[in-house]
Amino acid sequence: MADMTSKAAEELPASFSHTALVVESIEKTADRFREVFGVSFGSAEEYAFSRADASGRTAPATLRMSVSLTQEPYFVLVEAVDEPDCVFGRERLGSLAYWGWWEEDAEERLRKLRREGVGVAATYAAALGSAPEMIITEPDLYGTRICYVTSALKDRLTEQAGLAGGESPLPDSYYHVGMVVPDIDAAVQRCARVFGVPFTAAALTESPHQEEGDVTHTPFRQRQAISRTREPYIELIEATGDGVFSPSQGGALMYYACWESDMNSRVARLRSQGFGMDAVIRMDATSDPIAAITSHDSHGIRLELADPAAKPVMEHWARAGHLPEF
């Protein structure tokens, strides 16, 4: 059953390709990723651009970036810059800056964004007057941004990271990123139009025993939807409660969600690495965790861990558009 579901899931459209974390030092953050995720990064490189802001004013801009040596979706680290009102500015340190998507036709993408009423915060071109290699939207989707990267910049990033033409299998990275929204039905419609991928209808999900510090929910219920794509999924979560999914968590990408088969060991290791646990989900008070959400660390890293037993459920949900009946 799982193999058949996985095969069907491969026929779904592709989803986002990467997310960017704004950091103080790429080298220090890459060391932290190696400790936490066990993944490495390509050498940090400087990329020179002509940046155009929303008003059309242009200026030279340099971004220092590094890409994880993993399968998609990539972790991308971008060193903070001294530019006011910039998605990579210092005020964004430690934040997941955007959903990243590959885009073949930047000019057509700009036209589509304008038709959908999505503002463009900045474009980055290799030279003044040339077509954009990177388009970054305004924070329209409940506080998040989209970054469209053309094939020209994609090739530069992957080649310099040593990802192009590699023979060794690359490790996995993460399988979805979550976003808390105030109205999930409206968010599903808006995200489907802007991202250009279908979503499931919102479904009520239940965590039998969810511990959030001193508070325990038995059960914890929430409404969620996911993109009907291959991994990585876009997960929308309707704001509920006073804890990890409260309205205060909206307006930002939440975490890197990873499959974890040895939950007890991973949770213990994360605690030893300085992470707190914002939520731990179990079947009952005495059973082992089936999922966990950490606090943010000083670099802005936050994880959700999930038992791989849920993978066929997620694939069915994405493929069929509804949760399986048990």
Side-chain angles (χ1 to χ4, degrees):
M1 172 67 180
D3 288 343
M4 291 177 64
T5 304
S6 296
K7 185 174 181 180
E10 291 175 0
E11 300 172 0
L12 293 169
S15 180
F16 67 97
S17 58
H18 63 285
T19 53
L21 181 65
V22 182
V23 303
E24 183 70 50
S25 165
I26 283 177
E27 285 73 21
K28 289 180 180 179
T29 307
D31 287 343
R32 179 63 166 168
F33 268 84
R34 190 175 298 109
E35 175 189 17
V36 172
F37 291 98
V39 301
S40 299
F41 280 76
S43 298
E45 301 285 347
E46 288 191 350
Y47 295 82
F49 295 103
S50 174
R51 179 179 183 269
D53 64 18
S55 67
R57 292 174 298 186
T58 60
T62 300
L63 296 177
R64 191 164 184 260
M65 298 186 284
S66 182
V67 181
S68 62
L69 304 180
T70 63
Q71 298 183 48
E72 290 187 22
Y74 301 125
F75 302 104
V76 176
L77 306 180
V78 184
E79 221 156 65
V81 298
D82 293 315
E83 291 183 31
D85 302 319
C86 176
V87 69
F88 306 117
R90 293 195 173 277
E91 68 275 13
R92 299 282 297 176
L93 275 171
S95 67
L96 279 170
Y98 53 64
W99 312 94
W101 295 75
W102 305 132
E103 175 56 62
E104 291 299 321
D105 189 335
E107 299 295 345
E108 176 59 22
R109 175 56 61 183
L110 284 170
R111 287 190 287 271
K112 287 180 180 178
L113 291 172
R114 293 185 183 110
R115 286 198 298 270
E116 292 295 341
V118 179
V120 174
T123 61
Y124 290 78
L128 184 64
S130 62
E133 291 191 343
M134 188 161 61
I135 301 166
I136 300 177
T137 71
E138 293 284 3
D140 177 71
L141 299 180
Y142 302 94
T144 67
R145 297 177 187 261
I146 312 168
C147 178
Y148 296 97
V149 175
T150 65
S151 56
L153 181 54
K154 175 185 178 181
D155 291 344
R156 290 166 64 194
L157 287 167
T158 55
E159 286 173 9
Q160 292 188 355
L163 292 164
E167 295 181 1
S168 300
L170 294 167
D172 290 332
S173 56
Y174 54 101
Y175 79 95
H176 80 261
V177 173
M179 180 168 67
V180 171
V181 298
D183 180 338
I184 195 166
D185 298 307
V188 163
Q189 293 182 21
R190 179 64 172 167
C191 289
R193 288 200 308 272
V194 174
F195 288 129
V197 296
F199 277 75
T200 67
L204 185 66
T205 63
E206 183 174 290
S207 299
H209 185 95
Q210 182 160 312
E211 302 162 3
E212 298 183 12
D214 296 331
V215 178
T216 300
H217 304 276
T218 55
F220 183 85
R221 295 186 177 95
Q222 59 191 159
R223 294 180 73 214
Q224 296 175 277
I226 63 169
S227 57
R228 298 188 65 182
T229 62
R230 301 190 295 271
E231 292 186 14
Y233 306 114
I234 300 166
E235 179 188 45
L236 304 176
I237 308 158
E238 191 163 71
T240 185
D242 299 320
V244 70
F245 300 116
S246 69
S248 65
Q249 299 291 319
L253 303 188
M254 287 193 69
Y255 43 56
Y256 304 106
C258 306
W259 299 117
E260 178 52 60
S261 57
D262 190 349
M263 195 72 68
N264 280 330
S265 294
R266 185 68 179 279
V267 167
R269 187 164 76 250
L270 287 167
R271 289 187 188 277
S272 73
Q273 292 168 339
F275 287 94
M277 292 293 148
D278 286 349
V280 177
I281 297 112
R282 310 174 192 273
M283 294 303 295
D284 55 55
T286 60
S287 62
D288 291 340
I290 56 173
I293 299 172
T294 74
S295 59
H296 286 92
D297 78 349
S298 60
H299 295 273
I301 298 171
R302 191 188 202 187
L303 292 82
E304 180 187 50
L305 306 176
D307 191 309
K311 187 177 177 70
V313 175
M314 293 291 285
E315 291 182 342
H316 175 97
W317 195 9
R319 177 177 53 82
H322 58 80
L323 287 168
E325 296 181 4
F326 295 100

